């Protein structure tokens, strides 16, 4: 029947999706590489720059392989190549393309840092720098992260005047709203107290009227006995 076939096909699709998810879950929770939040960094020509890179693995690592590559519009090359034996060993350099490059990494205190520094920058150093990591303990699973370096003649000062004005206006508006809310609550409190005081006065006045008119339950009801 067509309905039964459709249900069977739907079950097979869901089963396939589930198996794929189970297969991808360990990968998604395994090796991670990061070069920080900034995707682009600027450095002045002739100075030194640190290119950050850290890695993490939920399954640990052994004989981990890492390398940095440089890529521009017309050039691609491996800058540095190294290994990390285990969590207790510092990274070791096996090969280096440029003497200006220094490995700044360390695995102490679980930092897993394989950052590099590049000194005596030149304008030709502008380009993409990618940190690659391969972990044999995860079936040679590989991950990488890229950061773009822009070498400039001088760093431009950022004018924060507009930002400060906007922050000042926003802060003033928020302060005004808080002040209005406090005044509103104070007025509501005064009105509530005034109403309570009026209510007390009305109750007291009603009691006095009952006493004067000799209503039942009042002291005016108590009369002296008549003498015969």
């Amino acid at each position: 029947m067509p309905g039964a076939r459709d249900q069977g096909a739907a079950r097979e699709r869901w089963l396939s999706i589930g198996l794929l998810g189970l297969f991808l879950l360990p990968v998604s929770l395994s090796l991670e590489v990061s070069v920080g939040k900034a995707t682009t960094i600027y450095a002045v020509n002739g100075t030194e720059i640190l290119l950050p890179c850290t890695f993490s693995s939920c399954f640990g690592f052994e004989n981990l392989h890492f390398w940095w590559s440089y890529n521009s519009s017309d050039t691609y090359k491996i800058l540095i190549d190294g290994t990390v034996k285990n969590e207790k060993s510092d990274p070791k350099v096996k090969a280096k393309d440029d003497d200006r490059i220094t490995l700044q990494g360390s695995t102490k205190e679980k930092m897993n840092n394989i950052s590099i520094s590049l000194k005596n920058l030149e304008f030709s150093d502008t380009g993409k720098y990618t940190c690659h990591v391969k972990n044999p303990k995860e079936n040679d699973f590989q991950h990488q992260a890229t950061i773009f370096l822009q070498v400039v003649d001088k760093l431009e000062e950022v004018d924060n005047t507009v930002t400060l004005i906007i922050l000042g206006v926003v802060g003033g508006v928020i302060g005004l709203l808080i002040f209005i809310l406090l005044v509103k609550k104070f007025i509501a409190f005064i009105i509530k107290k005034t109403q309570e005081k009026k209510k007390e006065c009305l109750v007291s006045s009603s009691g006095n009227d009952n006493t004067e008119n000799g209503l039942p339950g009042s002291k005016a009801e108590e009369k002296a006995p008549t003498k015969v």
Side-chain angles (χ1 to χ4, degrees), residues 6-224:
D6 292 341
Q7 292 179 357
R11 282 196 296 269
E12 290 179 0
R13 285 196 298 269
W14 282 111
L15 180 60
S16 300
I17 294 173
L19 292 174
L20 180 61
L22 290 175
F23 174 76
L24 292 176
L25 182 60
V27 175
S28 63
L29 297 176
S30 58
L31 186 63
E32 293 290 338
V33 179
S34 172
V35 291
K37 296 181 179 180
T39 57
T40 301
I41 55 177
Y42 297 88
V44 177
N45 181 41
T47 62
E48 183 176 357
I49 188 67
L50 176 69
L51 301 176
C53 182
T54 57
F55 68 90
S56 62
S57 175
C58 296
F59 302 102
F61 60 90
E62 188 174 345
N63 295 322
L64 181 135
H65 180 206
F66 71 91
W67 67 99
W68 277 87
S69 65
Y70 167 77
N71 187 18
S72 65
S73 58
D74 57 354
T75 305
Y76 177 84
K77 58 182 177 179
I78 303 298
L79 299 175
I80 192 170
D81 188 287
T83 58
V84 186
K85 186 175 181 181
N86 52 46
E87 288 89 343
K88 297 180 180 180
S89 303
D90 280 334
K92 291 186 177 180
V93 177
K94 295 168 55 179
K96 188 168 60 172
D97 178 75
D98 195 329
D99 291 335
R100 298 180 300 151
I101 297 174
T102 304
L103 178 65
Q104 302 290 352
S106 173
T107 55
K108 294 179 180 179
E109 300 180 356
K110 297 182 179 181
M111 294 177 62
N112 295 343
N113 187 349
I114 48 177
S115 304
I116 61 173
S117 62
L118 181 60
K119 61 184 179 180
N120 298 327
L121 287 174
E122 303 172 357
F123 290 111
S124 59
D125 292 324
T126 296
K128 294 180 180 179
Y129 291 79
T130 304
C131 179
H132 308 260
V133 177
K134 182 188 289 186
N135 189 8
K137 201 170 183 178
E138 299 179 51
N139 297 321
D140 284 334
F141 181 71
Q142 179 181 330
H143 198 252
Q144 63 275 331
T146 301
I147 190 168
F148 186 83
L149 171 64
Q150 179 70 54
V151 181
V152 297
D153 186 38
K154 63 178 180 179
L155 295 176
E156 297 182 0
E157 295 183 2
V158 179
D159 188 2
N160 295 323
T161 304
V162 176
T163 303
L164 293 175
I165 292 175
I166 294 174
L167 291 176
V169 172
V170 173
V173 171
I174 293 175
L176 180 61
L177 291 175
I178 293 174
F179 176 76
I180 292 174
L181 289 175
L182 291 175
V183 171
K184 184 178 179 180
K185 287 187 177 182
F186 178 74
I187 294 174
F189 175 78
I190 296 298
I191 293 174
K192 182 179 179 181
K193 288 296 182 182
T194 303
Q195 290 176 346
E196 289 177 354
K197 190 172 183 180
K198 287 183 178 180
K199 188 175 180 181
E200 291 176 359
C201 290
L202 290 174
V203 172
S204 177
S205 176
S206 177
N208 293 335
D209 291 343
N210 290 342
T211 303
E212 293 175 357
N213 295 330
L215 294 177
S218 66
K219 291 183 179 180
E221 190 177 7
E222 298 178 1
K223 298 180 180 181

